[in-house]
Amino acid sequence: MTSLLWNIAQLKDVVDIPLVTQSAENLGSCLNSVLKAGAVIASGNLGSGVQEQGKSLVTTSMKIISLVGDAVLASRVPEEEMISIRTTELAMTLGRHSPAKLAGLEIEGGDGRFVLPADKKSLVSRITEATFVDTQMLSIPFNPYTWDSTKQRVNSDVLALDLKDETRKLIKVSNLTSDVIIVTPLKPQTVSLENPQYFTKNDDLRFHEIDVKYDNTLIMLEITPDETSINLFVYMRYGQRPTTQEHDLNVTVSKNERCVWTPSAHDRNGGATECSVNPLTPIETLAKQPGKYFLGVQSYNTTAANSHKRKRRSCFGNGRQKRSCVEVKDPHPLPLRAKI
């Protein structure tokens, strides 16, 4: 079926364009079902003996989807409006562009989006020899790569973007000077609505433990004092409890502001500080390795600290004093000594 679709597309007959598009949608629906079946088999839940068959189904289906995209784009011309092919689940966005038009190009498919670097030197300079570039974006609302160890961490659609030259060869775009922006919303999760409250004391650290299971896990903390007179000092450290002197992360949180300090990789005395006037903004830090991360929270009551300061008494102030003041005269100046 894919070969027939490609042969028809190669004729580049305008009359055949609707037929090619409709055939691509039909093939996409079939491949969507094959991908889901392959994902179930490849997960290993049906036994390790058939897991390799599931992997083969998934990888072969992905290659065929790419060939379907090639067939649809065969009859397109550069700068023609991008075409979207949707099935009940997966979505493809296909386009043909001149290299100069790739700078800052936005490609949307399903609920996801790619934004290519706006700097022409970053991407366009690498593909000047191509007469045109085909873009194929694929959005899958489920994870077909169920055999991978990171499958439990996937909480969004699976997105893919291929850039191909006029010979249908993939264009390598690694190590760009500017990043390709990938936007994909997270799927709804069941989270606890509990809003725990903890008590802290001045100069005392209250410790909490965070267990991280995977590399490069993003930790998000929402910590806010209940009273405007309270400042919270938050410390985090990997592997052992933090102190005010030894920590990997230091945050100061008040009712109106929060500031995050992170030490640099080469100099623990140096670092970067980021402040936000919105104290409700989550504190974010990247846990680069799995294990236990310890959190220490310390409170500081600014009102109580000010009230405990001793008031300086003056002998010249107005009003009654509880104790009498004794004024001491300055001593007589000593004669200057000079060495002759």
Side-chain angles (χ1 to χ4, degrees):
M1 181 65 180
T2 307
S3 300
L4 177 61
L5 183 64
W6 174 253
N7 292 332
I8 295 175
Q10 283 291 94
L11 298 176
K12 297 184 179 181
D13 192 339
V14 178
V15 179
D16 293 331
I17 292 179
L19 175 62
V20 172
T21 304
Q22 184 61 50
S23 300
E25 291 180 354
N26 295 337
L27 271 174
S29 297
C30 295
L31 292 169
N32 182 88
S33 301
V34 175
L35 272 177
K36 295 192 75 172
V40 173
I41 299 173
S43 65
N45 296 332
L46 302 180
S48 58
V50 295
Q51 187 177 32
E52 291 300 322
Q53 298 179 15
K55 291 182 182 180
S56 178
L57 278 176
V58 171
T59 54
T60 302
S61 298
M62 294 295 287
K63 291 179 181 178
I64 296 176
I65 290 174
S66 180
L67 293 176
V68 171
D70 292 339
V72 174
L73 289 171
S75 57
R76 312 289 289 185
V77 295
E79 274 57 76
E80 195 173 355
E81 184 179 0
M82 286 187 280
I83 184 172
S84 178
I85 296 178
R86 286 181 170 271
T87 68
T88 53
E89 291 183 295
L90 66 82
M92 294 181 66
T93 302
L94 309 171
R96 177 163 289 183
H97 318 272
S98 58
K101 297 294 184 179
L102 291 178
L105 179 67
E106 294 190 16
I107 307 171
E108 297 183 1
D111 294 327
R113 176 163 54 99
F114 285 89
V115 182
L116 300 184
D119 181 12
K120 291 185 178 181
K121 295 181 180 180
S122 178
L123 178 61
V124 178
S125 60
R126 298 191 177 197
I127 50 180
T128 53
E129 297 180 358
T131 56
F132 60 82
V133 175
D134 286 344
T135 58
Q136 297 185 12
M137 176 183 171
L138 179 63
S139 175
I140 308 175
F142 57 89
N143 180 20
Y145 304 101
T146 52
W147 63 87
D148 194 272
S149 59
T150 61
K151 62 181 180 180
Q152 295 180 347
R153 303 179 62 184
V154 178
N155 189 37
S156 68
D157 293 355
V158 175
L159 304 181
L161 176 64
D162 288 340
L163 304 183
K164 298 183 179 182
D165 60 17
E166 62 269 20
T167 63
R168 295 186 292 161
K169 183 180 178 181
L170 286 174
I171 300 174
K172 296 182 180 180
V173 292
S174 59
N175 299 322
L176 298 177
T177 56
S178 299
D179 295 330
V180 176
I181 299 175
I182 305 174
V183 180
T184 177
L186 297 178
K187 295 181 179 180
Q189 290 181 293
T190 303
V191 296
S192 174
L193 299 178
E194 181 183 1
N195 186 19
Q197 294 183 341
Y198 299 101
F199 297 94
T200 58
K201 294 182 179 180
N202 283 356
D203 301 327
D204 291 337
L205 281 172
R206 183 186 179 99
F207 294 100
H208 307 270
E209 185 178 306
I210 302 174
D211 191 13
V212 176
K213 297 181 180 180
Y214 307 103
D215 295 337
N216 298 319
T217 296
L218 180 64
I219 298 177
M220 301 178 67
L221 304 172
E222 294 184 1
I223 302 176
T224 307
D226 286 339
E227 301 177 12
T228 56
S229 61
I230 298 295
N231 287 345
L232 295 178
F233 302 101
V234 182
Y235 305 93
M236 180 179 287
R237 191 178 185 186
Y238 172 73
Q240 53 186 313
R241 288 185 171 184
T243 67
T244 56
Q245 302 298 324
E246 295 291 334
H247 48 262
D248 302 322
L249 180 73
N250 179 10
V251 185
T252 303
V253 182
S254 68
K255 268 287 188 179
N256 302 317
E257 188 181 26
R258 68 154 179 79
C259 287
V260 181
W261 177 86
T262 52
S264 62
H266 304 288
D267 183 9
R268 292 191 60 85
N269 295 323
T273 303
E274 178 184 348
C275 292
S276 171
V277 294
N278 182 9
L280 299 179
T281 303
I283 301 167
E284 297 182 355
T285 183
L286 185 64
K288 295 184 178 180
Q289 52 186 329
K292 295 186 182 299
Y293 288 77
F294 292 88
L295 190 72
V297 182
Q298 182 184 43
S299 66
Y300 178 75
N301 192 326
T302 57
T303 303
N306 292 332
S307 64
H308 289 137
K309 290 183 179 179
R310 298 186 63 182
K311 183 179 180 181
R312 184 179 180 182
R313 294 174 179 172
S314 173
C315 291
F316 306 100
N318 298 325
R320 296 183 60 184
Q321 299 287 341
K322 189 173 182 180
R323 296 180 182 179
S324 60
C325 289
V326 178
E327 185 178 355
V328 181
K329 294 183 178 180
D330 295 333
H332 294 288
L334 296 175
L336 296 175
R337 295 182 179 181
K339 186 177 182 180
I340 302 177

